Amino acid sequence: MRSADATINKHKRELELCTYCPKLCRHSCPVSNATGRETHTPQAKMQLLNHLQQGSVEWTRETARPLFACLECKNCTTYCDHGNDVAGALAAGKAAASERGLQPIEYTQAVRDYRLRETRLRNALQRTAAASEMATRGRIAYLPGCDNIEFFPETISDAFSIFRRLDLRFVRMPSGITCGGHPLWAAGAWSAAHVETERLLEHLSGFSTLVMGCAPCTDLWRRRLEEHGISHQLDVIHTSEFFFTHLERLKPRSVRRAALFHDSCSLGRGLGVYDPPRRVASRCVEHLGEFFHHRDRSPCCGADPALDAAMPEVRAKQRTERLGEASRYGIDTVVTTCARCRRSLSRSAAGDQRNTVDLVDLTNLLAEALHTENR
Ligand code: SF4
Ligand code: SF4
C-alpha cells in the first residue's frame, strides 16, 4: 500500500502551483462557500498541506483540521487551468493526519460507525433480498451499496426486476458484503480501508463483473484502488452504464412529464460518465432538463457523513440551492445515479426548506417506466 506521505509527495507540483495561485477556483468550493472561511478555500487548504509537508507548519490536531474540510468533489479541478487534483492531494492529507492520530473526532466516529452498522446492514439486506439472490460466485455480482440497503431498499427490488426483465438470472449479490468500503477511504482511515478491501476482494473472487449501485464505490473500484496499489481483475460498471448497454432490449416508455438530472461527483468528474445515465433517463420522461450547473460543473450534494457531522451547514446549503433551483423551474422530479446524493439532498436540516421535489434513483425511474409499460 502506498503511504499517505508518499501520495502527498506525488502531488508536490500541484501543491506548489496552488500555494502561489490567486485563488482562481475559490468560487467553486462548496465548503468555503458554506462556511465563508478563507482557510477552507481550495488554495488555502493546499497551501497548508504544502507547509505541513515541508515542515514549516507543525502537524497538530488544530493545524491539520482544515484538511478535513473537503468533500473530495473535484469541482475546483474543473475550474483550474492546471487541472490540479486538489481532492486527491487533500485525501492524502487527511490520511497523513489520521496516521499521526490527528483526525477530528467526527472522523474517528465515522470509522467506528462503519464497523457498528455492519450488523444493521446485514439484517436490512436479509429483509429485502431473497436468499436466491445471494451467492458466493457467479458471472455478475450486483453490489447495491450501503445507502441503498439501509435507506432505499426498493432500489434493490427494482434492480432485480430489471435483471429479470433482461432474463439475466445469473446476477447475484455477493454474500458477506454490504458496502464497497468507500466510507473508510473517505474518512482518511487508509490502513483500515486497505484491510477491508482485501476482505471484500476475497468475497468477490468468484465473480468476474461487478455492477455497483453506489457512484463513489464505482469510482473507487474502477479507478482509485489502483492508485492505492491495490489491483484486481473485476470488470467494474455502474448500474446506469449497465442498463444503458441493455436499453434497446428494455424499451422503456416515458412515465413522467419532466425531470432534471443531477450528476454525482464520482460518476461525473470522477469517471467522466455523463451521457449513459441521461440516455436512459430521457427514455423514461418526456422532457429531461438540466440544472444551470451540470455535467463537470455540477455542484456536490454535500454527502459526507463525517463532514456533515462537523459542518452541517455545507450539506444544508447544497440541498437548499439544488432543490430550490428545481422548484424555481417548476420541476418536481430530480433523477440521480447515487444513493448518497439522494439521501443527502432529501434529508432536511434545521431551517432548511420543505422538500417538495421527488428524488429518484435512475434504477427506480427505469423500473417504473418498464412496470407501467407492462400494465
Ligand atoms: S486548484 Fe488551480 S485554481 Fe485552484 S488554487 Fe490550485 S492552482 Fe489555483
Ligand atoms: S475537492 Fe471540492 S470540497 Fe475539496 S477543495 Fe475542491 S471544491 Fe472544495
Side-chain angles (χ1 to χ4, degrees):
M1 184 184 104
R2 191 176 286 133
S3 77
D5 285 309
T7 307
I8 296 173
N9 285 336
K10 256 185 54 201
H11 293 282
K12 197 171 181 324
R13 182 176 149 72
E14 291 160 297
L15 291 169
E16 286 291 319
L17 285 167
C18 286
T19 296
Y20 299 104
C21 174
K23 305 189 178 180
L24 296 176
C25 64
R26 66 175 302 151
H27 65 287
S28 66
C29 181
V31 182
S32 56
N33 285 346
T35 66
R37 291 184 57 185
E38 202 61 26
T39 47
H40 293 160
T41 59
Q43 188 278 335
K45 289 178 283 199
M46 289 290 272
Q47 182 178 4
L48 169 66
L49 182 58
N50 201 13
H51 288 314
L52 286 165
Q53 198 61 2
Q54 287 175 359
S56 48
V57 171
E58 193 188 343
W59 284 94
T60 67
R61 194 175 295 277
E62 220 31 61
T63 58
R65 194 168 176 91
L67 302 177
F68 290 83
C70 175
L71 289 157
E72 297 177 31
C73 74
K74 310 169 203 69
N75 204 26
C76 47
T77 301
T78 296
Y79 293 92
C80 175
D81 282 346
H82 307 291
N84 276 2
D85 180 14
V86 174
L90 293 177
K94 284 189 241 179
S98 301
E99 281 172 10
R100 291 166 170 83
L102 303 175
Q103 71 277 22
I105 184 72
E106 294 85 358
Y107 287 76
T108 309
Q109 191 59 44
V111 176
R112 216 173 278 148
D113 285 349
Y114 184 88
R115 304 276 176 227
L116 291 174
R117 71 188 185 146
E118 185 68 24
T119 313
R120 202 168 69 229
L121 288 173
R122 276 179 207 270
N123 292 340
L125 195 54
Q126 265 169 12
R127 282 195 300 275
T128 309
S132 59
E133 290 167 343
M134 317 213 41
T136 53
R137 56 191 314 106
R139 270 173 57 196
I140 298 180
Y142 165 56
L143 203 59
C146 55
D147 287 322
N148 274 326
I149 293 172
E150 188 162 17
F151 305 109
F152 308 112
E154 74 281 5
T155 302
I156 302 173
S157 325
D158 284 347
F160 273 99
S161 76
I162 301 170
F163 297 144
R164 278 194 296 275
R165 176 76 181 244
L166 288 165
D167 212 16
L168 301 176
R169 292 173 195 280
F170 46 81
V171 181
R172 292 286 182 276
M173 283 190 283
S175 308
I177 301 185
T178 52
C179 175
H182 180 267
L184 283 178
W185 293 100
W190 283 12
S191 298
H194 194 276
V195 172
E196 173 68 353
T197 304
E198 294 296 340
R199 184 187 76 81
L200 298 178
L201 277 169
E202 274 175 35
H203 282 278
L204 290 166
S205 61
F207 296 91
S208 54
T209 298
L210 183 54
V211 177
M212 306 190 95
C214 169
C217 277
T218 308
D219 186 24
L220 173 70
W221 280 76
R222 194 190 295 178
R223 183 178 67 91
R224 290 184 53 205
L225 284 183
E226 204 179 333
E227 294 172 5
H228 288 288
I230 302 173
S231 58
H232 61 76
Q233 301 300 317
L234 288 157
D235 198 6
V236 179
I237 183 168
H238 186 261
T239 42
S240 61
E241 299 171 284
F242 185 81
F243 295 140
F244 170 66
T245 61
H246 294 285
L247 194 56
E248 290 317 313
R249 279 178 63 205
L250 287 167
K251 295 187 175 51
R253 280 199 199 141
S254 297
V255 280
R256 297 195 184 201
R257 188 182 59 79
L260 293 178
F261 186 82
H262 170 78
D263 290 280
S264 97
C265 305
S266 305
L267 210 57
R269 284 184 289 273
L271 293 169
V273 176
Y274 295 109
D275 290 322
R278 282 175 167 77
R279 297 273 291 276
V280 177
S282 65
R283 296 279 292 269
C284 305
V285 295
E286 283 171 30
H287 178 74
L288 184 70
E290 299 283 6
F291 283 98
F292 182 74
H293 288 111
H294 56 276
R295 295 176 78 98
D296 65 342
R297 298 190 175 212
S298 179
C300 179
C301 66
D304 179 300
L307 194 121
D308 193 27
M311 299 178 202
E313 67 270 34
V314 177
R315 189 181 60 79
K317 186 172 194 302
Q318 297 307 97
R319 175 183 183 275
T320 302
E321 290 185 355
R322 209 58 171 157
L323 298 189
E325 187 180 343
S327 297
R328 279 201 305 283
Y329 297 153
I331 304 281
D332 58 10
T333 300
V334 171
V335 187
T336 78
T337 51
C338 177
R340 202 166 301 166
C341 291
R342 188 179 175 198
R343 175 158 157 73
S344 179
L345 291 173
S346 53
R347 273 169 64 215
S348 58
D352 205 355
Q353 68 187 45
R354 204 168 150 261
N355 177 17
T356 54
V357 175
D358 187 14
L359 283 143
V360 292
D361 191 279
L362 184 65
T363 303
N364 310 128
L365 182 65
L366 178 58
E368 186 184 321
L370 295 171
H371 182 66
T372 302
E373 185 196 18
N374 270 344
R375 283 192 302 209

